[in-house]
Amino acid sequence: MNLILGHKIALDPNEAQRTYFARAAGTARFAWNWALAEWRRQYAAGEKPTEAALRRELNAIKREQFPWMLEVSKTAPQQAIKNLGDAFKRFFDHTAKYPRFKKKGIHDSFRADNGADTVTFDGKRIRLPVIGWIRMCEPLRFVGKVRSVMVSRVADRWFASVTVKIEHQVPACENQAVVGVDLGVSALATLSNGEKVEGPRALRCSLKRLRRLSRSLSRKRKGSANRRKAAAKLARLHKSVSDIRQDALHKLTTGLCRRFSVIGIEDLNVRGMLRNGKLARAIADCGFGEFRRQLEYKAVMHGCSIAAADRWYPSSKTCHVCGCAKDKLPLSVRQWQCDGCGAEHDRDINAAHNLERLAASSAVTACGAEGSGVRLAPDTKPAAKKQEPVDGLFVHD
Ligand SMILES: [Zn+2]
């Protein structure tokens, strides 16, 4: 089986390389914004803009109008406009919102390879076209054909997101174990075998510090050196919070895929839940959407199946012993007793049991199956596919 995996590696560039990165990211951002403005203008004039035509257009005028664009590799602006084309495609497919203009300091990334075989790796070094050898903080994790390299900035560090096409052998299935996983706010995950996985609560622990830092930032005078320093400090804290959260999710999802062959989960409406103000912070802290994304690609790698329950399936309110459902069960109720059979339930463990039963009854042949997730709900839309890799691994198509 061929897989495309991503590895995001922290870089250790020298001053000249940093300057080049910033310039290339600026050029890519400019190309995106130029093409978006042009797209809107052409559309309003009744024309039919395409990304290919816009790329030709920019190429024709850049020597005259934007000569500074020639200082960086041409792939950076070209890929930015291709990405805009993809963004419009997602918009027309109703999986994403209308593309927006990019902002300096938030969107600093560019494509660094010039196509096939233009990038070389040597231990903890990467050789990029135009730039040359750059030190990395760790070697590339995969052996295979390098497809693309995106260089991006998070807080004050630069990263290379490398996608590699690898030949993957799905390991032989050792067990047929089925598990139900209930994601929660009090515990990160509850398994149907009674295990509770505590989340790191990275955000909550750092919330006090975040609040203090952002207050201190808002007191600094705009444009001052102190404001810039405070902003950098805050950005680093945000990054560290996201790293801690990501690490916990990776450990959880890897563990699940290694130990079980059928995994029953809830199809959580993450967007809808984030709109619920009270819960929003706790949910964003747990990273439910990210949990699902990781579980799906790791299931493919390990040959497991995912059974997602219908969004409206009352996994918490149904007694897993007798099957009768309660009308109401507020989130604050952690323990409850079934009216039908009198069984005492822990809210999360009971939900996990229901998800396990549902997963088992979906009659999935776990071993040898293609590993794609089995959906019990035909009415749910697939989540919007993001093009840029998030931290760590990812799979696309
Ligand atoms: Zn009961």
Side-chain angles (χ1 to χ4, degrees):
M1 172 171 51
N2 279 323
L3 278 184
I4 295 173
L5 298 176
H7 186 189
K8 191 167 183 175
I9 309 168
L11 299 174
D12 181 17
N14 61 30
E15 266 319 297
Q17 291 166 341
R18 271 178 181 279
T19 310
Y20 181 89
F21 286 168
R23 189 174 290 157
T27 306
R29 191 188 321 114
F30 176 87
W32 167 288
N33 288 342
W34 175 87
L36 178 53
E38 193 63 14
W39 187 297
R40 287 163 63 155
R41 190 191 62 74
Q42 292 183 8
Y43 185 78
E47 296 165 42
K48 262 194 151 183
T50 65
E51 60 93 11
L54 285 171
R55 277 189 290 137
R56 276 195 301 276
E57 229 174 281
L58 183 63
N59 265 338
I61 61 167
K62 72 176 178 188
R63 208 165 285 273
E64 287 245 311
Q65 293 188 27
F66 318 115
W68 44 266
M69 285 187 105
L70 303 171
E71 287 171 28
V72 301
S73 158
K74 66 175 191 302
T75 317
Q78 292 280 301
Q79 186 63 41
I81 299 178
K82 276 187 199 166
N83 290 347
L84 180 69
D86 291 340
F88 267 110
K89 210 165 160 199
R90 286 196 296 278
F91 169 69
F92 293 130
D93 291 346
H94 302 288
T95 55
K97 288 187 181 163
Y98 192 86
R100 293 168 59 165
F101 289 104
K102 293 202 184 289
K103 222 176 144 187
K104 186 178 177 182
I106 297 170
H107 306 105
D108 302 322
S109 69
F110 66 98
R111 175 124 179 215
D113 62 300
N114 277 349
D117 303 319
T118 53
V119 179
T120 321
F121 286 89
D122 171 32
K124 283 160 78 170
R125 294 197 304 162
I126 176 175
R127 192 189 148 85
L128 292 172
V130 188
I131 311 165
W133 288 104
I134 303 156
R135 284 193 303 267
M136 302 192 293
C137 295
E138 57 176 324
L140 181 65
R141 205 180 291 158
F142 312 112
V143 180
K145 199 168 169 54
V146 174
R147 297 263 306 229
S148 69
V149 179
M150 286 290 291
V151 172
S152 61
R153 197 182 57 87
V154 183
D156 49 0
R157 299 181 79 192
W158 288 93
F159 294 84
S161 298
V162 186
T163 55
V164 185
K165 189 175 182 180
I166 63 158
E167 188 55 48
H168 177 72
Q169 211 64 42
V170 177
C173 204
E174 280 158 27
N175 55 41
Q176 291 287 335
V178 183
V179 73
V181 184
D182 179 66
L183 293 177
V185 172
S186 56
L188 175 58
T190 306
L191 312 190
S192 51
N193 60 11
E195 266 176 62
K196 289 208 170 197
V197 182
E198 290 300 328
R201 291 316 170 83
L203 195 57
R204 188 176 295 176
C205 295
S206 308
L207 211 58
K208 243 182 163 169
R209 266 191 79 202
L210 274 179
R211 242 187 245 130
R212 208 185 58 219
L213 276 181
S214 48
R215 216 167 33 230
S216 121
L217 172 68
S218 68
R219 277 197 301 260
K220 305 278 187 292
R221 198 160 43 84
K222 280 202 172 159
S224 69
N226 277 335
R227 190 186 175 91
R228 205 177 56 237
K229 275 185 257 173
K233 218 170 172 183
L234 185 63
R236 276 196 296 273
L237 183 59
H238 272 294
K239 170 82 171 106
S240 116
V241 165
S242 129
D243 286 346
I244 297 168
R245 174 195 298 158
Q246 199 74 3
D247 180 59
L249 286 176
H250 272 299
K251 282 171 181 156
L252 171 64
T253 50
T254 299
L256 288 172
C257 290
R258 283 213 181 123
R259 290 162 59 204
F260 303 99
S261 58
V262 182
I263 303 165
I265 57 170
E266 244 173 321
D267 189 359
L268 286 168
N269 176 6
V270 179
R271 264 187 214 160
M273 284 172 85
L274 284 176
R275 249 175 256 133
N276 175 345
K278 260 190 207 160
L279 273 177
R281 180 170 291 144
I283 291 163
D285 197 6
C286 299
F288 287 172
E290 179 60 14
F291 169 82
R292 178 72 181 267
R293 185 190 71 84
Q294 290 181 9
L295 201 62
E296 274 174 1
Y297 84 71
K298 288 180 188 178
V300 174
M301 293 176 75
H302 288 86
C304 338
S305 306
I306 297 171
D310 188 291
R311 180 170 304 171
W312 309 113
Y313 175 68
S315 60
S316 298
K317 286 185 265 188
T318 309
C319 166
H320 78 270
V321 181
C322 68
C324 49
K326 262 191 153 20
D327 288 340
K328 261 193 185 144
L329 192 65
L331 254 180
S332 54
V333 179
R334 308 313 305 175
Q335 312 275 341
W336 59 284
Q337 191 176 27
C338 174
D339 300 329
C341 66
E344 288 278 348
H345 292 307
D346 172 290
R347 180 195 181 96
D348 299 334
I349 295 178
N350 175 59
H353 273 297
N354 283 323
L355 291 169
E356 179 192 335
R357 197 170 36 87
L358 221 67
S361 71
S362 70
V364 184
T365 44
C367 282
E370 274 303 284
S372 55
V374 174
R375 297 189 148 261
L376 303 176
D379 59 335
T380 44
K381 257 195 198 169
K385 282 262 175 353
K386 263 182 106 175
Q387 285 291 304
E388 267 183 51
V390 208
D391 303 355
L393 299 150
F394 76 108
V395 173
H396 63 111
D397 61 51

